[in-house]
Amino acid sequence: AAKNQRINDSIPKEWRIDTSSLPDNVMDIPATSGILSKTELDITNSSATDLVAELAAGKLKAVDVTTAFCKRAAISHQVTNCALEFFPEMALKQAKELDDFYEKNGRTVGPLHGLPISLKDQLRIKGLETTMGYVAWIDKYDTEDSVLTAMLRKAGAVFYVKTSVPQSLMVCETVNNITGRSVNPRNKHLSPGGSSGGEGANVGIRGGIIGVGTDIGGSIRVPSAFNFLYGLRPSHGRLPYGKMANSMEGQETVHSVVGPITHSVPDMRLFVQSVLEQEPWKHDSKVIPMPWRQSEHDAAVKKITSDKLTLGFFNNDDVVMPHPPILRGVDKVVSTLRENGHEVIDWKPYRHDYAVDLIQGIYASDAGKDIHTVLSASGEPAIPNINDLVDPSISGADITKLWDVQLQKWKFQMEYIEEWNKLEEKLGKEMDAFIMPITPTAAIRHNQFKYYGYASAINLLDFTSVVVPVTFADKNLDKKNESFKPMNDMDKQVQEECKFSGCPRSRTATDKITDDAEAYHGAPVAVQIVGRRLTEEKTMAIAEEIGKLLGNAITP
């Protein structure tokens, strides 16, 4: 209660809105609330690349940009419950220091000078709490910044909000026992995803323009997909993760990675370049000494414009069949690429069922001891979703089993690469990346997220992945395949949530969302573009091209 009161008290009275009768879709509230001026709305509706250019040219002041985003984030939290820390006074002090530096020196401190960036409540900021959704971690204040926080600060970024996560991070919804549930700004009955769901909701309603998330099983990509945003899951070792809070620290079989959630690929690229410019490998020993490779980006752009791309695709991983909006979204991407001269070929997912089983065992390798030890420190109950991934009834792995699992992972990674190589040999040319779903559903109703495999298989492979927003679920276009037979029990569970028929039953205005196509009408649909390991420059360029062809190069 005290933690919630601190968050509420951090919102100035003049930034508060009446939340007693909010509509399901709150996307328009920042513009209609009267809290932001026209200039502030223009600022928060801009791209990050445009804002840093105007800040560098002296056309905007950091204080003004920060004030605009603080106001919008305050609204965002009130309508989506997306914040675990909100600190506008600290942000405005930092922005004033940046303005003073610019006035004195006639230049910026770095490439992100004056740009507000929101952080998942996993990155540490000196002097603030990092609860990560655990009650036991309330009132524990950080004594130093995470490595990435320090680098973003050095580049000139301004911090103003830390966003909500599910208890422990190990869930693709966002609910905890501190602040409760975060909701999707496009429909409060839908999830914003997880575990970076607070980031997804905040950036989705433009309370943020670049948000920082992490991903061990889809936690950047799912919130990006569910909020019609771009998201980068880089390969392990490309961006610094040092000194961040985490669950199951020391689990090294599948690494969590950090990356941006944005409205466009250019903003994503700005973030990655700004971090790599500071040589993070000198501060985090797990980071590979690999600067931004402009030649890789340029080669990809040249191929896009002249030689054309060769991309694989699949819409079904042979474990769970996606719902009709996802199938339509994949079809739309494939047909759009082909219409524009790119070659798109069938890519059969190699043993994804095996990959899903293997990574599920890795997540549960300590039988939930780490998470449940933290829960027992305060006595708080586990959120219901936790045991779906981290079941305390399963015996933990001993060192011999751990070593064996690590060898299985390595062998699978090499087998997958060889399948890719064989296809290229058959084609006589390179397959630049492949297209696949990120989830089997559009943005989903609360407590209904069941299957992580479309995301987690890519974590096991450690491939680079970029989420591209595609379209929205449509009750008139998306028809359920009534003759489909589930492939397994998980598929059966996922298909039971498939409500699309094209003929939703009528309902009165007082009815709650019902189990029909109306429940998902307008839910965001996305795909992920998957490249080989450590191909961030190339994969981002391909994702940017796909976004342009779809008309979603900058998301609304």
Side-chain angles (χ1 to χ4, degrees):
K3 172 69 172 176
N4 275 282
Q5 191 63 50
R6 288 201 298 274
I7 297 171
N8 292 333
D9 289 348
S10 68
I11 300 175
K13 290 181 180 178
E14 59 271 23
W15 296 357
R16 296 181 187 176
I17 62 173
D18 179 7
T19 60
S20 60
S21 58
L22 292 173
D24 289 355
N25 186 323
V26 295
M27 292 290 286
D28 291 338
I29 287 182
T32 60
S33 65
I35 291 171
L36 284 84
S37 68
K38 182 182 182 306
T39 298
E40 289 167 337
L41 286 170
D42 289 343
I43 287 171
T44 53
N45 288 329
S46 297
S47 69
T49 50
D50 285 346
L51 287 178
V52 294
E54 293 191 17
L55 285 157
K59 296 179 181 179
L60 286 173
K61 289 188 177 296
V63 165
D64 296 331
V65 175
T66 299
T67 299
F69 277 101
C70 283
K71 285 184 175 183
R72 193 148 182 163
I75 296 170
S76 173
H77 176 63
Q78 292 173 82
V79 298
T80 68
N81 195 34
C82 65
L84 274 169
E85 286 274 82
F86 183 54
F87 39 100
E89 291 182 4
M90 182 186 294
L92 290 167
K93 181 177 182 291
Q94 187 186 355
K96 177 66 165 56
E97 291 169 355
L98 289 167
D99 284 337
D100 291 345
F101 179 92
Y102 188 93
E103 185 174 346
K104 181 179 179 180
N105 298 281
R107 61 179 178 84
T108 62
V109 301
L112 301 177
H113 180 103
L115 184 71
I117 287 184
S118 51
L119 304 176
K120 182 179 185 176
D121 193 44
Q122 192 181 351
L123 284 86
R124 301 185 189 279
I125 297 177
K126 184 178 180 180
L128 298 179
E129 292 170 288
T130 301
T131 65
M132 220 174 68
Y134 285 129
V135 171
W137 290 0
I138 294 173
D139 291 329
K140 293 185 178 181
Y141 292 85
D142 292 318
T143 57
E144 61 180 340
D145 288 342
S146 296
V147 171
L148 181 55
T149 307
M151 292 195 156
L152 293 172
R153 190 191 301 277
K154 186 178 177 183
V158 176
F159 308 124
Y160 62 113
V161 62
K162 294 180 72 181
T163 53
S164 192
V165 298
Q167 175 196 78
S168 85
L169 309 181
M170 296 301 294
V171 179
C172 271
E173 298 224 31
T174 298
V175 58
N176 58 62
N177 293 317
I178 301 174
T179 55
R181 184 182 297 278
S182 299
V183 300
N184 194 305
R186 293 178 186 271
N187 184 339
K188 68 183 180 183
H189 301 283
L190 302 180
S191 169
S195 62
S196 311
E199 280 303 320
N202 187 54
V203 177
I205 198 172
R206 285 188 171 267
I209 196 165
I210 295 178
V212 182
T214 63
D215 193 313
I216 195 173
S219 292
I220 289 170
R221 289 164 292 157
V222 174
S224 299
F226 283 6
N227 290 279
F228 207 71
L229 298 167
Y230 289 84
L232 169 66
R233 186 262 173 215
S235 294
H236 170 61
R238 197 70 204 272
L239 295 175
Y241 205 95
K243 300 181 182 179
M244 290 169 58
N246 210 351
S247 290
M248 299 182 288
E249 287 188 301
Q251 185 279 112
E252 297 280 306
T253 309
V254 175
H255 293 92
S256 180
V257 297
V258 64
I261 297 173
T262 67
H263 291 274
S264 70
V265 173
D267 286 0
M268 180 184 291
R269 190 177 294 119
L270 169 68
F271 177 91
V272 174
Q273 288 177 317
S274 299
V275 174
L276 294 180
E277 186 178 289
Q278 297 179 68
E279 302 179 317
W281 48 89
K282 291 184 177 180
H283 304 275
D284 182 344
S285 61
K286 290 185 179 180
V287 178
I288 298 166
M290 184 181 289
W292 174 262
R293 299 167 296 179
Q294 187 63 32
S295 60
E296 295 287 320
H297 167 80
D298 293 343
V301 171
K302 183 176 183 294
K303 193 166 191 180
I304 288 166
T305 56
S306 56
D307 302 332
K308 299 300 181 181
L309 295 167
T310 300
L311 300 167
F313 86 98
F314 65 84
N315 61 14
N316 172 17
D317 68 354
D318 294 331
V319 183
V320 168
M321 176 64 71
H323 288 188
I326 303 299
L327 297 174
R328 180 168 59 85
V330 174
D331 286 347
K332 181 175 182 178
V333 173
V334 170
S335 62
T336 300
L337 284 162
R338 286 173 173 165
E339 288 166 5
N340 286 273
H342 299 292
E343 184 178 6
V344 188
I345 56 177
D346 288 336
W347 167 248
K348 183 170 176 57
Y350 177 74
R351 299 182 72 194
H352 277 231
D353 55 343
Y354 171 82
V356 171
D357 287 344
L358 185 60
I359 200 167
Q360 292 282 88
I362 292 166
Y363 293 149
S365 58
D366 76 334
K369 181 179 179 181
D370 178 85
I371 291 172
H372 285 275
T373 297
V374 179
L375 299 185
S376 65
S378 67
E380 69 166 309
I383 60 173
N385 319 63
I386 290 289
N387 290 346
D388 291 344
L389 276 184
V390 187
D391 188 345
S393 67
I394 298 174
S395 298
D398 62 20
I399 192 67
T400 305
K401 184 177 180 181
L402 174 62
W403 288 349
D404 182 58
V405 166
Q406 290 173 340
L407 285 173
Q408 290 179 56
K409 182 198 77 169
W410 189 12
K411 181 181 179 183
F412 176 72
Q413 288 175 328
M414 290 191 289
E415 288 175 355
Y416 210 99
I417 291 170
E418 283 308 312
E419 291 297 311
W420 196 320
N421 293 340
K422 287 176 188 176
L423 178 61
E424 290 185 338
E425 289 173 10
K426 181 180 177 181
L427 294 171
K429 58 183 173 181
E430 183 179 29
M431 182 173 80
D432 297 296
F434 63 85
I435 302 154
M436 63 177 283
I438 175 60
T439 60
T441 69
I444 199 165
R445 295 189 305 165
H446 301 302
N447 298 325
Q448 298 303 316
F449 196 102
K450 304 292 185 185
Y451 182 63
Y452 295 76
Y454 281 101
S456 63
I458 304 307
N459 293 87
L460 190 72
L461 292 163
D462 197 25
F463 285 162
T464 298
S465 174
V466 179
V467 167
V468 176
V470 179
T471 187
F472 299 91
D474 190 319
K475 64 186 179 183
N476 299 310
L477 296 176
D478 298 314
K479 309 293 178 69
K480 184 176 181 178
N481 181 357
E482 299 293 349
S483 64
F484 176 73
K485 304 296 183 186
M487 295 177 279
N488 50 62
D489 183 61
M490 176 56 72
D491 195 20
K492 183 176 184 293
Q493 291 182 53
V494 172
Q495 298 313 317
E496 285 173 351
E497 185 60 19
C498 185
K499 311 301 178 185
F500 298 96
S501 65
C503 301
R505 73 172 179 83
S506 60
R507 60 195 181 98
T508 67
T510 58
D511 279 347
K512 293 183 178 180
I513 292 291
T514 54
D515 288 353
D516 57 34
E518 193 76 20
Y520 284 110
H521 185 67
V525 172
V527 298
Q528 58 179 327
I529 314 305
V530 181
R532 288 182 184 262
R533 186 169 182 266
L534 296 167
T535 57
E536 286 74 27
E537 295 90 345
K538 179 179 183 178
T539 308
M540 281 192 278
I542 294 170
E544 183 175 19
E545 170 69 2
I546 292 171
K548 287 177 180 177
L549 295 178
L550 293 171
N552 299 334
I554 298 178
T555 61

